[in-house]
């Protein structure tokens, strides 16, 4: 056995025992280095709850490694001499520990990967950057799938076709080479409104331990002016608790997830959603084991096919797809603005103080929980940002700040490509724009709103109604080229000049109102 001493650098979203940087780690010989640094905690003004979650999960992961017999060099944020950035912290760790080389798994964000490439030049020892094998599709796999036979990048990509390839390669929900049940996608079965008679499953509670309480005190003192509520802090931060939460979801919530995954209910932020994305994205859970557990629930008759297929599609379909898009389109993808949307983000995105009840609910729950489920993000918040013409850069920053599962690789394609159509259709086959009728169908928000969802125009009308038609009118030249928009653009063409003028006047009045004013000094606390 080699006497080589290796320093293994583990980042805060790499809290997996089977991460490539730890695969061949040797207790008693190698040193594992982890660091809390101000540069990462403030790369954007992250939600207080996200910072607390990541730091607590990191500290618990470090303790678990020590129990395995590893030496862990852990740099706390408030440690004396903490230099505040990864590069200098790593250089100091190399000097302290005297390794022959440093090993790390590639960072998930381009910004950190580019920094890591500079560390190679600055360190006195070699730095090996390994592929992140937790993902089911490598960078090469995705590029191979996405690239045309001539080697060119296509004008559009569709997740559905990628998802089918992932089903074939992984074998999830496949029988004799064919999709279980005879079809690939059961999304059409998953759009039911939630009846009042349906009971929402009660979530398990995770009381903060001494480590989490110490982190919460740190976050309150150092990041008290950041967005969001720190308490209540009730979330798994250990591997064991994460596995228990996955088991709970599979048994209690997954059976109802399919039918009602698009539903929204006032005062019920989680409904049947897994709430596992922060755990997967930081590494406490692996995507494969989540899919394995869900498929087992189906095979054992505990959950229906439409629920399990929808859940697995979110992981091996969307999650893998957006990661591939991110690395394929960077470094310029974040600047995309195909519709020339330039309006600043309104201040109510930070306060939730808006008379539009759907947005107030979704943003309030985001502020409290650092979470909103995917329909709230896409069809309430994202939809409004799209039809109101909000600046994609500001919307991206907001999404990255406010959600505990948000990292640039997953946030950017979802906002740029899916929510805002800012990439011109590279990701989405059409803009996900909708009027108030959709929100009224899928939620109970409209019943408690100041505005009338049934009215199409005037001061009492739901702003989504006239903003929707104004958006179509303003972008008519672009959208008429989209074959999936043919029917609705035909309806726009039949609208009288008088009615279009009413739509524009209502939109201008609302968009120029006090409610739509932005903040002058960036994200508030």
């Amino acid at each position: 056995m080699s006497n080589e001493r290796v320093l293994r650098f583990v980042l805060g979203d790499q809290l997996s025992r089977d991460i490539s940087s730890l695969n061949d780690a040797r207790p008693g010989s190698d040193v594992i280095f982890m660091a809390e640094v101000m540069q990462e905690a403030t790369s954007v003004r992250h939600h207080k709850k996200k910072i607390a979650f990541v730091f607590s999960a990191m500290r618990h992961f470090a303790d678990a490694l020590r129990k395995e017999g590893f030496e862990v060099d852990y740099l706390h944020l408030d440690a004396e001499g903490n230099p505040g950035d990864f590069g200098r912290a790593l250089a100091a760790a190399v000097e302290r520990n005297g390794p022959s080389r440093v090993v790390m798994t590639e960072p998930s964000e381009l910004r950190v990967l580019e920094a890591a490439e500079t560390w190679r030049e600055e360190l006195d020892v070699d730095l090996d950057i390994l592929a992140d094998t937790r993902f089911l599709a490598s960078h090469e796999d995705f590029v191979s799938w996405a690239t045309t036979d001539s080697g060119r990048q296509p004008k559009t990509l569709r997740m559905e076709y990628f998802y089918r390839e992932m089903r074939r390669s992984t074998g999830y929900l496949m029988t004799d080479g064919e999709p279980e049940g005879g079809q690939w996608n059961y999304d059409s079965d998953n759009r039911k409104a939630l009846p009042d008679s349906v009971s929402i499953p009660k979530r398990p509670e995770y009381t903060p331990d001494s480590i989490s309480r110490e982190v919460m005190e740190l976050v309150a003192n150092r990041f008290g002016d950041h967005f969001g509520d720190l308490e209540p802090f009730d979330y798994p931060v250990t591997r064991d608790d994460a596995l228990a939460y996955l088991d709970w979801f599979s048994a209690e919530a997954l059976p109802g997830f399919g039918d009602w995954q698009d539903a929204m209910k006032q005062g019920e932020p989680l409904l049947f959603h897994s709430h596992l994305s922060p755990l997967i994205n930081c590494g406490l859970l692996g995507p494969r084991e989540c899919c394995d557990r869900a498929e087992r629930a189906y095979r054992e008759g505990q959950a229906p096919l439409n629920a399990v297929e929808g859940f697995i599609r979110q992981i091996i379909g969307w999650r893998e797809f957006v990661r591939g898009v991110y690395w394929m389109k960077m470094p310029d993808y974040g600047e995309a603005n195909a519709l020339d949307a330039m309006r600043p983000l309104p201040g109510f995105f930070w306060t939730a103080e808006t008379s539009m009840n759907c947005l107030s609910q979704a943003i309030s729950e985001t502020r409290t929980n650092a979470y909103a489920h995917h329909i709230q993000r896409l069809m309430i918040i994202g939809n409004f940002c799209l039809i109101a013409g909000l600046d994609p850069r500001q919307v991206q920053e907001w999404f990255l700040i406010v959600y505990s599962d948000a990292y640039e690789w997953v946030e950017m394609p979802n906002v740029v490509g899916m929510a805002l159509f800012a990439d011109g259709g590279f990701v989405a086959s059409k803009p996900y724009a909708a009027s108030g009728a959709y929100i009224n169908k899928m939620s109970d928000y409209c019943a408690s709103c100041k505005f009338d969802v049934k009215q199409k125009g005037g001061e009492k009308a739901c702003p989504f109604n006239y903003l929707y038609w104004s958006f179509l009118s303003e972008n008519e030249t672009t959208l008429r080229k989209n074959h999936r928009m043919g029917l609705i653009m035909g309806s726009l063409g039949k609208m009288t000049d008088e009615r279009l003028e009413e739509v524009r006047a209502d939109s201008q009045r609302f968009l120029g109102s006090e409610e739509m004013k932005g903040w002058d000094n960036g994200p508030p606390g």
Side-chain angles (χ1 to χ4, degrees):
M1 181 179 291
S2 170
N3 293 322
E4 180 184 40
R5 182 173 172 84
V6 178
L7 185 70
R8 299 178 181 274
F9 185 21
V10 176
L11 303 179
D13 62 347
Q14 297 178 347
L15 309 182
S16 309
R17 186 58 186 86
D18 59 353
I19 193 85
S20 56
S21 59
L22 297 180
N23 271 346
D24 58 349
R26 300 163 300 167
S29 175
D30 297 340
V31 179
I32 297 169
F33 175 57
M34 301 175 68
E36 302 166 2
V37 295
M38 186 63 76
Q39 185 181 64
E40 291 306 303
T42 58
S43 58
V44 295
R45 293 170 61 86
H46 292 289
H47 195 298
K48 290 191 282 288
K49 194 163 287 185
K50 179 180 181 179
I51 299 174
F53 166 67
V54 173
F55 282 2
S56 180
M58 287 174 65
R59 294 185 185 191
H60 282 94
F61 186 70
D63 274 2
L65 291 169
R66 291 188 185 102
K67 289 175 182 176
E68 280 192 57
F70 284 104
E71 179 183 349
V72 180
D73 182 352
Y74 193 100
L75 181 65
H76 288 77
L77 187 80
D78 53 357
E80 184 177 354
N82 186 325
D85 64 81
F86 280 149
R88 289 183 294 169
L90 179 59
V94 168
E95 185 175 348
R96 280 194 303 274
N97 294 286
S100 56
R101 63 190 175 99
V102 176
V103 173
M104 68 180 297
T105 296
E106 68 173 8
S108 65
E109 298 184 352
L110 178 63
R111 170 183 59 85
V112 185
L113 178 61
E114 289 178 338
E117 295 292 352
T118 69
W119 306 337
R120 277 180 159 156
E121 305 301 320
E122 297 167 354
L123 292 175
D124 295 331
V125 296
D126 289 341
L127 168 60
D128 297 334
I129 301 176
L130 309 179
D132 191 342
T133 54
R134 295 174 300 173
F135 288 91
L136 283 74
S138 68
H139 297 313
E140 295 77 16
D141 290 338
F142 187 84
V143 170
S144 176
W145 170 80
T147 306
T148 64
D149 292 339
S150 61
R152 296 179 180 178
Q153 191 176 115
K155 293 182 179 179
T156 61
L157 290 179
R158 294 294 171 258
M159 187 280 292
E160 178 65 25
Y161 302 116
F162 172 75
Y163 168 59
R164 294 179 187 184
E165 288 302 310
M166 292 298 292
R167 287 274 294 276
R168 293 186 183 101
S169 66
T170 62
Y172 286 123
L173 297 178
M174 299 292 289
T175 302
D176 297 328
E178 296 296 325
E180 188 73 18
Q183 62 189 69
W184 293 102
N185 185 316
Y186 290 86
D187 203 34
S188 60
D189 295 341
N190 298 344
R191 298 169 183 165
K192 297 182 176 74
L194 187 71
D196 292 336
S197 59
V198 172
S199 298
I200 310 303
K202 180 176 172 54
R203 302 265 158 174
E205 297 180 357
Y206 297 92
T207 303
D209 62 7
S210 59
I211 293 176
S212 290
R213 289 195 299 272
E214 183 178 358
V215 166
M216 291 166 67
E217 183 178 355
L218 170 72
V219 171
N221 291 335
R222 299 293 294 272
F223 307 101
D225 60 346
H226 279 218
F227 174 79
D229 300 337
L230 181 57
E231 297 188 61
F233 187 84
D234 178 22
Y235 210 57
V237 290
T238 68
R239 169 70 173 163
D240 287 346
D241 283 348
L243 287 170
Y245 199 33
L246 172 60
D247 284 340
W248 174 88
F249 166 71
S250 300
E252 303 296 333
L254 179 59
F257 171 70
D259 286 353
W260 299 301
Q261 67 171 277
D262 285 7
M264 296 168 281
K265 184 176 177 63
Q266 190 155 318
E268 294 286 353
L270 298 178
L271 295 175
F272 295 89
H273 291 269
S274 74
H275 202 203
L276 296 175
S277 52
L279 301 177
I280 300 172
N281 289 352
C282 82
L284 289 180
L285 291 176
R288 289 177 179 84
E289 66 190 343
C290 292
C291 293
D292 289 344
R293 185 65 184 84
E295 183 171 34
R296 191 171 87 220
Y298 168 69
R299 300 292 182 191
E300 295 177 354
Q302 298 172 352
L305 180 57
N306 69 314
V308 174
E309 184 279 317
F311 176 72
I312 288 177
R313 177 162 24 97
Q314 287 187 338
I315 295 177
I316 72 170
W318 270 115
R319 185 174 187 270
E320 297 283 332
F321 180 75
V322 298
R323 188 236 190 183
V325 168
Y326 173 79
W327 287 106
M328 188 177 200
K329 299 294 285 185
M330 288 299 278
D332 301 322
Y333 194 52
E335 303 301 323
N337 191 358
L339 300 181
D340 294 322
M342 301 298 290
R343 189 165 284 108
L345 193 77
F348 69 74
F349 271 68
W350 305 110
T351 65
E353 295 173 0
T354 171
S355 48
M356 293 172 284
N357 187 48
C358 60
L359 280 162
S360 178
Q361 291 294 316
I363 295 171
S364 293
E365 291 172 2
T366 295
R367 187 181 181 99
T368 300
N369 303 317
Y371 177 84
H373 67 70
H374 70 278
I375 292 299
Q376 290 175 306
R377 298 191 203 193
L378 178 63
M379 298 308 299
I380 301 293
I381 299 169
N383 180 21
F384 181 81
C385 294
L386 173 68
I387 63 179
L390 302 190
D391 185 336
R393 288 295 303 173
Q394 293 188 26
V395 178
Q396 287 176 66
E397 182 186 37
W398 186 85
F399 271 84
L400 193 57
I401 286 172
V402 303
Y403 292 119
S404 60
D405 57 4
Y407 298 86
E408 189 180 71
W409 67 267
V410 66
E411 166 274 320
M412 185 182 290
N414 272 300
V415 172
V416 171
M418 195 67 177
L420 301 184
F421 204 69
D423 63 3
F426 185 75
V427 166
S429 59
K430 68 179 183 65
Y432 276 80
S435 69
Y438 173 86
I439 299 168
N440 192 38
K441 175 186 175 184
M442 298 308 302
S443 78
D444 61 357
Y445 295 154
C446 299
S448 303
C449 189
K450 162 187 171 181
F451 297 107
D452 185 350
V453 71
K454 304 291 186 183
Q455 288 197 26
K456 305 303 180 187
E459 293 190 9
K460 293 184 178 180
C462 170
F464 281 81
N465 289 342
Y466 47 76
L467 289 176
Y468 172 71
W469 289 106
S470 179
F471 165 77
L472 296 178
S473 177
E474 287 181 8
N475 295 283
E476 183 174 5
T477 301
T478 297
L479 298 182
R480 282 201 180 278
K481 300 172 186 176
N482 187 311
H483 72 278
R484 290 200 64 195
M485 297 295 290
L487 186 63
I488 197 65
M489 297 309 291
S491 297
L492 177 70
K494 296 175 183 176
M495 197 173 283
T496 65
D497 290 344
E498 181 181 15
R499 176 67 188 120
L500 271 176
E501 190 54 42
E502 290 173 352
V503 164
R504 294 185 184 115
D506 282 333
S507 298
Q508 289 170 6
R509 170 184 48 77
F510 176 80
L511 294 172
S513 68
E514 191 73 20
E515 186 162 357
M516 286 295 293
K517 283 191 175 179
W519 288 83
D520 295 329
N521 299 316

